[in-house]
Amino acid sequence: MTAIGVVGTDFGFIVAADGRVRLDDESRSHATPEMLTQESDEQQKNFPITDAEKNLAYAITGSTGDPRGFDLLKIIPAQIRRISNRRFNDGCHYVKVLSEKINEGINDAKRGGAIKAFPQIDHLEQSTGWLIVRVFFVGYFDRIPCFVRADFVHFGGDSESRVSAYAPRYSILSGSDAVRREIYEDNGHVLAGSRFASYIKDLGSNPSLDDAEEYARGFIEACSSSLALELDEARCKGIGGSIHVAEITPSGFKWRVAPKKRETA
């Protein structure tokens, strides 16, 4: 599980994520020492896409790897390079085409044996399907702001990609829904009397980038807290570690808090 905060403002976007990676309980029960080396509190989950046309960031949550050789964190950059010389109508069109290529990579890995089975952990609401991975894309395409989500899902067969676009001035808190509902109402307003009061940030009507960072970080820290473990242990035990924060404006992509480098044995 991953906690991500994505916030669009009039001044740019903030993307924040935790750094923890943990095997799921089933995988951990029969994991080899080599498989356990995949676990970390310093995993990068936000990444830039920058060229003359694009000034974007993407953040990933879900099942990104398999010990048999599948690594989505390598597939996505490969597909970005693959379509780098193509022309696109706008940011949403770019993400749609990129998502189709990523989806091909996921299915190729499954057919080739690099993925044993797609996960059945995150059930899609009002559906029989399951989420494999979700990727948020935000930033500027030809200096026009865009905010797009790509879901990779399955219904017992192949992976399918689904793309949704949002207004640029939008915010998403992805992680523990139970924790989020203890902090903010569905309309985004602060929940009065919250047990997580120290993590709350009211964005107001015209938030700055500093406000947006505080809002995103506060949610991630809340999901990493001992109180969150009491409320939603199944999800929150996989959230924690170092938080990294990216800022994307018309001027470019920069780290407000850079991801830490993973230590290797």
Side-chain angles (χ1 to χ4, degrees):
M1 178 51 62
T2 289
I4 291 174
V6 187
V7 186
T9 76
D10 286 341
F11 312 100
F13 297 88
I14 290 291
V15 183
D18 75 302
R20 180 163 295 172
V21 175
R22 291 288 183 271
L23 298 176
D24 61 69
D25 290 343
E26 181 181 354
S27 299
R28 236 175 173 273
S29 66
H30 54 77
T32 65
E34 182 180 1
M35 291 168 65
L36 289 174
T37 63
Q38 298 176 31
E39 298 190 331
S40 173
D41 274 351
E42 298 177 352
Q43 176 64 57
Q44 182 177 349
K45 301 176 183 179
N46 301 344
F47 304 87
I49 307 175
T50 55
D51 59 30
E53 182 182 51
K54 295 175 288 291
N55 178 27
L56 304 168
Y58 64 94
I60 307 172
T61 178
S63 300
T64 60
D66 189 291
R68 293 159 189 81
F70 171 68
D71 188 349
L72 189 65
L73 300 185
K74 293 181 179 178
I75 287 177
I76 293 179
Q79 299 303 336
I80 289 171
R81 292 190 295 270
R82 182 179 174 187
I83 65 172
S84 61
N85 293 323
R86 292 182 56 175
R87 294 291 300 171
F88 302 94
N89 299 330
D90 52 32
C92 188
H93 181 212
Y94 171 74
V95 172
K96 186 175 187 302
V97 173
L98 176 58
S99 297
E100 290 170 354
K101 299 301 181 185
I102 295 170
N103 197 61
E104 289 176 8
I106 293 172
N107 283 323
D108 287 347
K110 176 73 158 50
R111 297 182 188 117
I115 299 175
K116 180 180 180 180
F118 289 138
Q120 294 188 358
I121 300 171
D122 290 323
H123 202 283
L124 301 176
E125 292 185 7
Q126 299 179 337
S127 171
T128 59
W130 301 87
L131 179 69
I132 302 170
V133 69
R134 174 168 290 156
V135 188
F136 300 100
F137 296 85
V138 296
Y140 296 84
F141 188 96
D142 279 341
R143 299 188 66 83
I144 298 174
C146 61
F147 192 143
V148 187
R149 187 186 85 190
D151 287 351
F152 300 88
V153 304
H154 74 96
F155 296 84
D158 286 350
S159 170
E160 303 175 16
S161 62
R162 298 180 173 184
V163 172
S164 305
Y166 300 95
R169 277 282 311 269
Y170 194 69
S171 61
I172 289 179
L173 299 175
S174 173
S176 167
D177 286 341
V179 171
R180 179 180 53 78
R181 288 193 293 266
E182 286 283 328
I183 302 176
Y184 302 106
E185 298 176 357
D186 289 341
N187 60 11
H189 293 166
V190 172
L191 183 69
S194 170
R195 293 180 290 169
F196 292 87
S198 61
Y199 303 102
I200 290 175
K201 172 64 179 179
D202 189 349
L203 279 179
S205 59
N206 189 29
S208 67
L209 290 170
D210 289 343
D211 293 333
E213 179 182 356
E214 187 177 346
Y215 175 81
R217 286 181 64 95
F219 173 71
I220 297 169
E221 290 169 352
C223 289
S224 307
S225 67
S226 57
L227 182 56
L229 286 174
E230 296 175 13
L231 182 66
D232 188 6
E233 181 181 4
R235 289 185 175 274
C236 293
K237 66 183 178 182
I239 298 173
S242 59
I243 298 174
H244 48 296
V245 184
E247 172 189 309
I248 310 92
T249 67
S251 300
F253 174 105
K254 74 174 185 179
W255 292 112
R256 285 186 158 220
V257 181
K260 293 183 177 179
K261 293 183 179 180
R262 291 185 61 167
E263 295 183 0
T264 55

